[in-house]
Amino acid sequence: MPEILEIEYYRRLAEAGLDREIESVAVDEIAARGLEPGVDLSAILPGLSFVAARRRGKLLLLDTEGPTFGMRFGMTGGLLLDGLAGIDRLEYGPGTYESKWIRARIRFADGGELLLHDPRRLGRVSLDPDEGALGPDGFEITPTQLRSALSSRAPGGGPALKARLMDQSKVAGVGNLLADEMFWRAGLDPQRPSSSLSDKELRRLHRHLRSTLDDLFERGGSHTGDLMEARRPGGRCPKDGAALHRATVGGRTTWWCPEHQV
Ligand SMILES: [Zn+2]
């Protein structure tokens, strides 16, 4: 599933689509579910150009001289520009690109095009999406913002740490694989109540959140973590050899080491 790193690759690719006049827009009815009823992009975007490619968490934002065009990529969404893909392959996608899976097509007057490719049809396009509904971006979050994102007055200390870190309204961009990797690196049990971290643990998590994103971005994506190969039945912790535990946390399959993640 594309996480913040993949969307950052897409954003960089989309920069090559700036300052080119949009000639036509076609969106299939499922990808168009991200639009307000009655909004017809083919009547709004042609004649405009994208002037900036931004990202907040997993939301790609393409500003025009007028409204902002938003793209979400769901479980298997990819971005293609002028026939180039933002990433080589999608870990949970089919690994190939096919024309029948193109859900949105923006054609430029110069003949090039920007495409949303999505076999599982969970990607959506939007116009002027509500960026304020998302928490601070994972690449930019400060320790103070992370503290506030994890805080909870709920009895018991709030939801599981991992569930809270993946709540996009609290921290934007962290998905399942990245969350497991950063908790493993930080030596924290993902099931702990979100507000139970000491100041020292919070700073450690913040440091590993940022370094995990930087490292895996350099390596090539969310699936390149040190824990990745061990995420399977019988998998052992690459640090200490302990048998990994598996459970559903925050609705997602979670792997962690009972030995050093406390
Ligand atoms: Zn371990």
Side-chain angles (χ1 to χ4, degrees), residues 127-150:
L127 203 66
D128 290 329
D130 181 8
E131 299 171 43
L134 295 166
D137 186 76
F139 272 106
E140 293 171 4
I141 193 167
T142 65
T144 307
Q145 287 173 323
L146 184 61
R147 162 68 75 199
S148 148
L150 298 179

Side-chain angles (χ1 to χ4, degrees), residues 184 237-242 244 257-261:
W184 176 78
C237 174
K239 275 188 200 191
D240 51 43
L244 294 183
C257 170
E259 187 66 29
H260 85 273
Q261 289 180 252

Side-chain angles (χ1 to χ4, degrees), residues 72-83:
R72 293 180 181 279
F73 296 88
M75 296 290 285
T76 58
L79 186 80
L80 288 96
L81 183 83
D82 301 336

